[in-house]
Amino acid sequence: MNKKGQEASFKSLISQNLKQYGMIGALVALVVFFQISTNGLLLLPNSFVALIQQNAYVLILSMGMVMIIIATHIDLSVGSQVAFIGGILAILMEKMHVNWVFAIFVAIAVGLLIGAWHGFWVAYVGIPGFITTLAGMLLFRGLSTILVGESVPIKSQAYRNIAKGYLPNVLGFAGPFDVLTLVIGILIIAFIIYSTMRNIKRAISAGITLSSNDKTLKYITAGVGIIVVGFVTYLLAQSGNGTEGGMPITLVIVGLLFVMYNFITTSTVFGRQVYAVGGNRKAATLSGINTRLVDFKLFLHMGFLVSIASIVMLSRSASATAVAGQEFEMDAIAACFIGGTAVTGGAGTIPGVMIGSAVMGVLNQGLSLLGVSSAWVKAIKGLVLLLAVAFDIMSKKKKR
């Protein structure tokens, strides 16, 4: 292929992945804008940690929501579930004096039961997810109000450290940097390099011909990932105060869930079935997939993730209230669509919704630092969501 042909092919490759690159470009533009407009406050180490801790609920809930949307459903009840499960947790710990570790297991069990409840009505009774979870939104908001009353404060410092604490500084410090955080960052960078080289080798051994443009794109993607991980590690290693700092526990929880759900959606039979059901439900049924069981399992996963979000949120707010979790479902749904999930289902990725969640988080944190009122924050987030969906629809029309 001559030089012009290679350039055209590379442009074609970029064009095919425009949605993903557009999301990353939008995120970078937002970070630069808020970094300048806040006089550098956004990317101060402790501000960056606060960004992660305040928006962890979006990151966690969007992992379940994306699978629900891929399968052409929706869950409007996650905010009410967060309030209900948080209320149960608080009452167990503060009024019944149950150990906080055992209370967490109870909360996860309640989340799974709620997921099974929604899954039953959607998968085996045939009520659309929109109606089922709308009923769930009202049901669990009402139950949380009855259960919690005005508020239940959390006194356990160990439990409150889940959202606000850091991993222990077991390796000490190198100047202002936490060594454990540096080691974790280096290991993640090494894994990015290893997995990129392994994927190229696997493709070659499988007889797949990779063009130079394909390889270049993989190297660019890996390079961007290394730069991002390196910069985040640099910020986190300097965060904290005189007694603790480094890697926030919240980020560890989000990271473990990311690895788990990225594996489920990309490397398991269940993950492939979710995409098959979302792409063409009738064809999936005819090919032997038990679509009802897939739907049921999807809501089980959503219930599990809601329980984790409830644990993190209650730990951060240190008080259970009946109004907790307001509009959480809207943030999770918006993160999915901003992250490239198809409005019609069948397409979406966990890394994509992580970028969408990061966009929502940077908007929340940046506008908060600028002192913008909550009414304007809602209006701006609504416009961003509208533009993201319009971009998705227009890019599909262009392909036809």
Side-chain angles (χ1 to χ4, degrees):
M1 188 182 292
N2 58 34
K3 190 176 179 182
K4 284 187 178 179
Q6 287 180 347
E7 287 177 357
S9 177
F10 192 70
K11 285 180 180 176
S12 171
L13 205 59
I14 294 290
S15 175
Q16 288 169 12
N17 295 278
L18 184 61
K19 190 186 287 186
Q20 286 80 3
Y21 302 139
M23 288 187 294
I24 296 170
L27 178 59
V28 171
L30 275 176
V31 170
V32 171
F33 171 75
F34 284 120
Q35 178 69 359
I36 294 170
S37 58
T38 60
N39 295 321
L41 286 177
L42 182 72
L43 293 182
L44 287 176
N46 285 349
S47 297
F48 186 73
V49 170
L51 188 155
I52 295 167
Q53 292 171 335
Q54 287 173 8
N55 295 284
Y57 74 91
V58 186
L59 294 160
I60 295 169
L61 293 175
S62 62
M63 290 185 220
M65 191 67 78
V66 69
M67 295 197 297
I68 295 271
I69 294 175
I70 288 171
T72 68
H73 298 297
I74 198 87
D75 192 335
L76 300 177
S77 67
V78 294
S80 298
Q81 290 182 52
V82 166
F84 179 65
I85 297 172
I88 290 176
L89 252 175
I91 287 170
L92 283 173
M93 287 189 289
E94 300 302 329
K95 294 189 176 179
M96 301 176 72
H97 306 293
V98 173
N99 179 277
W100 64 273
V101 176
F102 182 73
I104 284 175
F105 282 109
V106 174
I108 292 173
V110 172
L112 290 172
L113 281 174
I114 294 173
W117 168 263
H118 285 151
F120 167 75
W121 292 108
V122 173
Y124 296 107
V125 181
I127 299 176
F130 174 81
I131 302 296
T132 301
T133 56
L134 181 62
M137 180 174 73
L138 298 171
L139 172 65
F140 294 110
R141 183 63 67 188
L143 289 177
S144 66
T145 305
I146 296 166
L147 190 68
V148 175
E150 290 186 2
S151 69
V152 180
I154 303 298
K155 297 173 186 169
S156 169
Q157 192 58 46
Y159 181 79
R160 289 168 68 168
N161 278 342
I162 293 173
K164 297 183 179 177
Y166 298 82
L167 289 185
N169 306 108
V170 291
L171 299 179
F173 291 88
F177 301 106
D178 171 47
V179 176
L180 177 64
T181 305
L182 294 177
V183 169
I184 292 172
I186 290 168
L187 288 175
I188 294 173
I189 289 172
F191 178 76
I192 292 173
I193 296 170
Y194 166 75
S195 61
T196 302
M197 302 306 294
R198 184 192 61 181
N199 289 340
I200 292 174
K201 279 186 179 178
R202 277 186 176 180
I204 293 171
S205 62
I208 299 171
T209 305
L210 290 177
S211 67
S212 59
N213 287 336
D214 290 328
K215 288 182 183 176
T216 303
L217 193 62
K218 287 183 182 297
Y219 293 141
I220 290 174
T221 304
V224 170
I226 290 169
I227 291 170
V228 171
V229 172
F231 185 62
V232 169
T233 303
Y234 171 77
L235 289 177
L236 293 179
Q238 299 179 77
S239 66
N241 50 44
T243 56
E244 60 178 357
M247 184 66 67
I249 293 173
T250 311
L251 185 58
V252 176
I253 294 171
V254 171
L256 291 174
L257 290 173
F258 170 79
V259 172
M260 185 171 124
Y261 277 93
N262 191 45
F263 176 78
I264 287 173
T265 52
T266 59
S267 305
T268 65
V269 173
F270 173 67
R272 287 191 286 275
Q273 288 177 340
V274 171
Y275 284 100
V277 169
N280 189 325
R281 186 171 289 268
K282 286 184 179 176
T285 304
L286 290 172
S287 66
I289 294 174
N290 186 341
T291 55
R292 289 183 174 183
L293 186 58
V294 171
D295 288 338
F296 184 78
K297 286 181 179 176
L298 278 172
F299 281 94
L300 271 185
H301 280 285
M302 190 76 247
F304 168 72
L305 287 166
V306 169
S307 68
I308 302 296
S310 306
I311 293 162
V312 172
M313 276 307 298
L314 181 63
S315 171
R316 177 162 180 76
S317 62
S319 177
T321 63
V323 295
Q326 292 276 9
E327 299 181 6
F328 278 15
E329 54 277 339
M330 296 306 159
D331 283 344
I333 293 167
C336 291
F337 291 132
I338 292 170
T341 306
V343 180
T344 51
T349 63
I350 297 295
V353 296
M354 290 295 98
I355 296 172
S357 301
V359 169
M360 296 291 290
V362 171
L363 271 175
N364 283 333
Q365 185 79 349
L367 293 171
S368 170
L369 288 172
L370 288 175
V372 177
S373 70
S374 60
W376 274 109
V377 172
K378 285 182 185 176
I380 292 168
K381 284 158 69 175
L383 280 174
V384 171
L385 172 61
L386 186 66
L387 290 173
V389 175
F391 181 75
D392 176 52
I393 292 172
M394 288 170 72
S395 62
K396 278 182 181 170
K397 284 182 179 176
K398 201 173 178 180
K399 285 180 182 176
R400 289 173 187 167

